[in-house]
């Protein structure tokens, strides 16, 4: 769908990359730290309800955009909601479930992101196919919109009434450290000064994980460009790409979500909470291999098989990694530490698609944009994968040292 937006709005690859990354990630980055503080101080249920309404409204607005800046603003507005959603959700999940039962809830939360991505690919392909064959031509109002505008507005229309369901959730008490006896009242929210003291004391423990989140965004941005590369370099129709990636995302994200979460819980019960980081390391090593291989295969079937593997591995990585963070972080600091994790993921994520687009302008320019984009994705994914694996190994050793102390 990126190429249709780019053609209809007369955008360059770089401008399109700003819509893919910067418009949402930059604003989300600015919101994350204040959001983490709010999550630790106020009702997470109310925060989720308010931001859900904002996200739905911005999604609907993006479908009404007819030029670059309105679409950019709508994407940025949705990022405000996204900046609160993630730390608030993770904080609630940690407080509802004990360490040995967090794998499946965390994997379900992140798995539904992949599931939603798969559904969006599938629906995008279906709607674009229907629009290309005149299905919406005679419809009132909607018949005047371009196919990509319909696709962008649809999630907002569906999400807005569902947001009210958040109000049915009870606000859970904030979990206490293990040394506190049962029945201990909730601890007072940590102050800003206490937060800085905690970070100074344990910076040696957390910085590899924060750096891992920074580097992880580069290979992830490569996946954002993969459909465009398949369309331009391999001339695979957009509808086929949408249907195939959508079907794989729906099916394989469920496999990765449920299987990965069950694996994390099973091994955690046997080997303790720090088993989660070892699962993250193994799954990330496989992900690095698949991400590097995906644009080197020669058949459509091989490409889509590897994409399915990526969806599966992503569910396992998300479940195990955030369970590992929850296992070493006190409840009073959960919102802020998760916010820092997402900050480090979002900050480079805002620029990573642009980094790949700019690399495409510098690499083998004589062969044209199509070959250059594929080479740019390969280069950035390869380097990024090697770096994030190294940082993950270091983080696992730091967790071991932390437990020894």
């Amino acid at each position: 769908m990126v190429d249709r937006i780019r053609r209809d709005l007369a955008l360059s690859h770089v401008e399109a990359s700003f819509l893919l990354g910067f418009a949402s990630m930059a604003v989300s980055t600015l919101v994350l730290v204040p959001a983490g503080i709010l999550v630790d101080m106020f009702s997470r249920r109310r925060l989720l309800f308010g931001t859900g309404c904002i996200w739905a409204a911005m999604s609907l607005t993006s479908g009404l955009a007819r030029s670059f800046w309105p679409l950019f603003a709508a994407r940025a507005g949705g990022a405000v909601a996204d900046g609160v959603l993630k730390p608030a959700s993770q904080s609630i999940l940690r407080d509802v479930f004990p360490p040995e039962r967090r794998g499946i809830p965390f994997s379900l939360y992140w798995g539904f992101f992949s599931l939603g991505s798969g559904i969006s690919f599938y629906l995008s392909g279906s709607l674009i196919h229907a629009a290309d064959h005149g299905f919406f031509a005679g419809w009132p109002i909607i018949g005047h919109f371009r196919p990509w505008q319909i696709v962008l507005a649809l999630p907002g229309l569906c999400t807005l009434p569902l947001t009210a369901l958040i109000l049915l959730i009870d606000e859970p008490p904030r979990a206490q450290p293990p040394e506190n006896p049962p029945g201990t009242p909730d601890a007072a929210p940590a102050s800003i000064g206490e937060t800085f003291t905690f970070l100074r004391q344990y910076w040696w423990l957390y910085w590899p994980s924060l750096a891992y989140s920074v580097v992880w965004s580069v290979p992830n941005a490569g996946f954002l460009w993969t459909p465009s590369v398949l369309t331009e370099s391999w001339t695979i129709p957009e509808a086929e790409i949408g249907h195939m990636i959508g079907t794989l995302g729906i099916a394989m994200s469920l496999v990765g979500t449920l299987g990965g979460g069950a694996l994390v819980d099973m091994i955690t019960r046997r080997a303790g909470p720090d088993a989660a980081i070892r699962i993250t390391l193994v799954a990330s090593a496989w992900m690095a291999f698949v991400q590097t291989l995906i644009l080197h295969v020669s058949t459509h079937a091989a490409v889509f098989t590897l994409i399915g593997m990526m969806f599966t591995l992503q569910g396992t990585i998300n479940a195990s990694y955030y369970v590992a963070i929850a296992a070493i972080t006190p409840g009073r600091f959960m919102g802020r530490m998760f916010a820092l994790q997402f900050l480090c993921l979002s900050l480079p994520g805002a620029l990573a698609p642009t980094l790949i687009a700019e690399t495409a302008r510098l690499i083998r320019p004589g062969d044209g944009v199509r070959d250059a984009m594929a080479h740019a994705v390969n280069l950035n994914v390869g380097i990024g994968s090697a770096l994030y694996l190294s940082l993950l190994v270091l983080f696992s050793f730091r967790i071991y040292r932390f437990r020894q102390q």
Side-chain angles (χ1 to χ4, degrees), residues 58-87:
M58 291 299 101
S59 177
L60 182 59
T61 302
S62 66
L64 302 176
R66 294 184 178 271
S67 62
F68 173 78
W69 285 111
L71 181 56
F72 183 93
R75 295 272 295 169
V80 173
D82 191 55
V84 180
L85 171 66
K86 291 177 180 177

Side-chain angles (χ1 to χ4, degrees), residues 73-115:
R75 295 272 295 169
V80 173
D82 191 55
V84 180
L85 171 66
K86 291 177 180 177
S89 301
Q90 301 294 282
S91 178
I92 284 182
L93 289 176
R94 182 194 185 275
D95 289 344
V96 169
F97 297 95
E100 68 276 8
R101 292 179 54 202
R102 288 176 184 156
I104 290 180
F106 272 75
S107 67
L108 282 174
Y109 173 82
W110 288 105
F112 277 117
F113 273 91
S114 297
L115 181 63

Side-chain angles (χ1 to χ4, degrees), residues 21-71:
F22 190 82
S24 57
M25 295 298 186
V27 176
S28 180
T29 298
L30 296 175
V31 170
L32 275 168
V33 172
I37 296 174
L38 291 175
V39 166
D40 287 336
M41 297 182 66
F42 298 105
S43 167
R44 292 161 288 186
R45 185 186 66 159
R46 294 178 181 176
L47 288 172
L48 287 172
F49 174 72
T51 53
C53 292
I54 293 173
W55 187 92
M58 291 299 101
S59 177
L60 182 59
T61 302
S62 66
L64 302 176
R66 294 184 178 271
S67 62
F68 173 78
W69 285 111
L71 181 56

